[in-house]
Amino acid sequence: MWEALRAFFAPPITGDPEEVTTKLIWLVRLRWVAIAAQVFSILPALQFQLLEPSLIPVFIGVILALAGWNGFTWLSLKRGWKPTPAPILVQLCADIAALSTLLILSGGAWNPLVPILFVHSVLGAILLPWTRGLLFFGLLLLCVIGIQLYAQIPPGLEGLQVPELILFPAQFLVALTFWILTAWLSSTLTAFRSHLFDARERKTRIDRLRAVGALAAGLSHEFATPLNTAQLKLARLARSNNLADNEDLNTAREELDRCAEVLHHMAGSQLQPDRLSLEISELNRLVGRVCHSIENENPEVPIRVRVEGRPPYRVLIPSVAFSQGLINLIDNAIQSSHGQAPVDVVVSGDLTHVNLTVSDRGEGWPTMVKNHLGEPFVTTKSDGVGLGLYYVHSLSEAIGAELHLEDRESGGACARISLPRAITLEKSLNGAEGSRSRTEN
């Protein structure tokens, strides 16, 4: 029984903040409770002279109209109606219109049950987006004014009214306070829920990437021994039989060397699971260090690094794994330019995202690479493996980023990684550290 009651009153908290059907079901259930409360209030209202007997037919008629409206909504939902966000506002407006009419018939703003009207400011802040919530709050204030102007004062309240100049500002402040606090709490909870959902998605991606890394490392280890044995046997066969110039034997050795290179890439540091620990890093500094290191190894190819906008650009990334991904992109750019043109690396950003762009002056992205982005072993290079770009794409998905392949208008290829900026997370961490330090002091 208690479980059924808890399920009946469970708030509309779902993984999707735009789940209109869940919100509407919850509102219909609350309305049934309110309708029942209004029915049971008739006898006490008559006993304490808060409702004149001549107004009972109108009072009951309003309750029946609201019950009919609620029943129609309930049946529509049962039949599979998929409402849009707009009906939530319509439903709440019907509630405050019916409740205001009942209050007007039983003392208006001086009715002891008038705080029930203010509860709808809470419901509006919870169930409606900001713009519709503000519109609903304005309509609620009109209802508050209406129950003062058109109130039917019953005998039980005669001579007990608070002056309107005092009552209306007080009720206005109560409704406004309820709405502001609830709207703030609702937006905060929605943001937290969104962050939690993103964190879970990121964790799922990282777990998948780690599984791929563990699988690749295991396969590389299992194939390494027989592959090395085959290479040694072929080399010994060539020496013992003077077959160093044999074309078939050389082809077999080249293919074995290619297999060894593929296994080396699969088992390399870029796919090791222990390199995927997330930390907040300044991307502009990390990119600068990686590019400086590559320039030291390839001094003949200039790498031009440019930071646009207003750094620092802080992002939540696995620094070692991300550095390897950047190295892969720059290596691709150097190969595409044949080592004869500079490679441009640009870090830019806005309030929510940071972009890392690596551009070359080669022939642009091959159509096959674009169409098969995210698939391993896709390459148009005769000596390529097809794992470098696949790794960058997999890592981007794992950390909630996006990889885009574009062609430059002036010629060449452009790879852009768009990452979510870690401003919100950093502020939360700083706030937590500040609170902890104040507690320790």
Side-chain angles (χ1 to χ4, degrees):
M1 177 180 178
W2 292 111
E3 291 295 331
L5 287 176
R6 277 197 293 267
F8 186 83
F9 291 105
I13 299 178
T14 65
D16 181 7
E18 300 298 331
E19 186 55 68
V20 180
T21 302
T22 304
K23 294 178 180 179
L24 197 54
I25 291 175
W26 187 63
L27 185 60
V28 168
R29 290 173 178 174
L30 292 182
R31 189 182 292 132
W32 285 126
V33 176
I35 291 172
Q38 292 292 347
V39 172
F40 286 115
S41 70
I42 295 177
L43 291 178
L46 290 174
Q47 183 177 357
F48 292 101
Q49 296 184 331
L50 297 177
L51 179 64
E52 296 183 13
S54 59
L55 297 177
I56 289 180
V58 181
F59 194 91
I60 295 177
V62 174
I63 295 176
L64 292 177
L66 186 60
W69 171 259
N70 206 42
F72 173 76
T73 305
W74 181 260
L75 289 176
S76 299
L77 291 172
K78 285 290 187 181
R79 293 176 179 175
W81 175 46
K82 300 297 182 182
T84 59
I88 300 290
L89 177 61
V90 175
Q91 295 282 332
L92 289 175
C93 289
D95 284 341
I96 60 174
L99 182 58
S100 298
T101 304
L102 296 177
L103 289 173
I104 288 174
L105 297 175
S106 55
W110 295 271
N111 188 306
L113 298 179
V114 75
I116 297 177
L117 187 62
F118 301 146
V119 172
H120 285 78
S121 65
V122 175
L123 295 177
I126 293 176
L127 301 177
L128 297 173
W130 177 258
T131 52
R132 288 195 178 98
L134 189 60
L135 174 61
F136 177 73
F137 180 72
L139 296 175
L140 183 64
L141 291 182
L142 292 178
C143 291
V144 172
I145 296 173
I147 62 176
Q148 291 190 17
L149 295 178
Y150 304 104
Q152 300 294 320
I153 306 300
L157 293 177
E158 289 182 355
L160 300 177
Q161 300 99 310
V162 177
E164 294 181 359
L165 294 178
I166 298 176
L167 184 62
F168 176 73
Q171 293 180 342
F172 171 76
L173 289 177
V174 169
L176 181 63
T177 302
F178 280 6
W179 183 75
I180 291 177
L181 288 178
T182 309
W184 175 73
L185 288 174
S186 178
S187 61
T188 302
L189 290 175
T190 300
F192 283 157
R193 189 167 67 230
S194 178
H195 287 315
L196 179 61
F197 181 77
D198 291 341
R200 287 176 177 173
E201 287 291 318
R202 189 180 300 115
K203 182 179 181 299
T204 300
R205 297 191 194 104
I206 291 178
D207 289 342
R208 291 174 181 172
L209 188 57
R210 286 177 174 173
V212 172
L215 178 62
L219 289 174
S220 300
H221 177 75
E222 293 296 329
F223 280 103
T225 300
L227 185 62
N228 290 334
T229 301
Q231 287 177 312
L232 291 174
K233 291 292 186 181
L234 282 179
R236 185 178 303 172
L237 181 64
R239 288 195 302 270
S240 61
N241 294 280
N242 297 322
L243 298 176
D245 297 328
N246 186 277
E247 183 177 353
D248 292 337
L249 185 62
N250 288 335
T251 301
R253 294 177 66 179
E254 289 175 0
E255 292 303 318
L256 282 178
D257 290 340
R258 178 176 173 81
C259 291
E261 184 181 359
V262 171
L263 290 178
H264 173 72
H265 278 274
M266 291 179 64
S269 61
Q270 64 207 54
L271 289 177
Q272 290 183 3
D274 58 352
R275 301 296 183 92
L276 292 176
S277 57
L278 296 175
E279 58 185 1
I280 294 181
S281 304
E282 291 188 13
L283 188 63
N284 45 297
R285 291 188 177 183
L286 178 64
V287 170
R289 290 196 298 268
V290 172
C291 292
H292 180 70
S293 175
I294 296 177
E295 272 191 316
N296 290 337
E297 296 180 2
N298 301 274
E300 69 280 0
V301 180
I303 300 178
R304 302 188 301 194
V305 182
R306 188 170 73 254
V307 179
E308 300 178 347
R310 301 180 62 181
Y313 293 120
R314 296 183 175 89
V315 291
L316 186 65
I317 56 174
S319 299
V320 176
F322 192 86
S323 299
Q324 180 62 51
L326 176 58
I327 292 173
N328 291 349
L329 292 179
I330 294 178
D331 283 345
N332 279 343
I334 292 175
Q335 294 175 15
S336 298
S337 300
H338 305 290
Q340 299 177 356
V343 174
D344 295 319
V345 180
V346 180
V347 181
S348 61
D350 52 30
L351 294 177
T352 59
H353 286 79
V354 179
N355 295 315
L356 170 61
T357 306
V358 178
S359 305
D360 61 51
R361 286 169 171 75
E363 299 177 357
W365 291 108
T367 303
M368 184 179 70
V369 173
K370 280 186 175 182
N371 293 340
H372 295 275
L373 179 63
E375 299 179 14
F377 309 112
V378 176
T379 181
T380 58
K381 303 172 184 176
S382 58
D383 58 345
V385 178
L387 287 176
L389 199 60
Y390 167 72
Y391 162 71
V392 178
H393 181 271
S394 299
L395 181 62
S396 298
E397 284 197 338
I399 61 178
E402 294 181 356
L403 174 64
H404 303 277
L405 303 183
E406 303 164 348
D407 291 327
R408 300 179 61 176
E409 294 182 0
S410 57
C414 175
R416 177 170 54 87
I417 302 177
S418 179
L419 305 99
R421 198 165 182 175
I423 295 179
T424 304
L425 177 59
E426 181 186 17
K427 289 182 177 179
S428 301
L429 293 176
N430 290 338
E433 292 178 358
S435 301
R436 184 166 57 253
S437 62
R438 288 193 295 270
T439 303
E440 293 173 354
N441 294 334

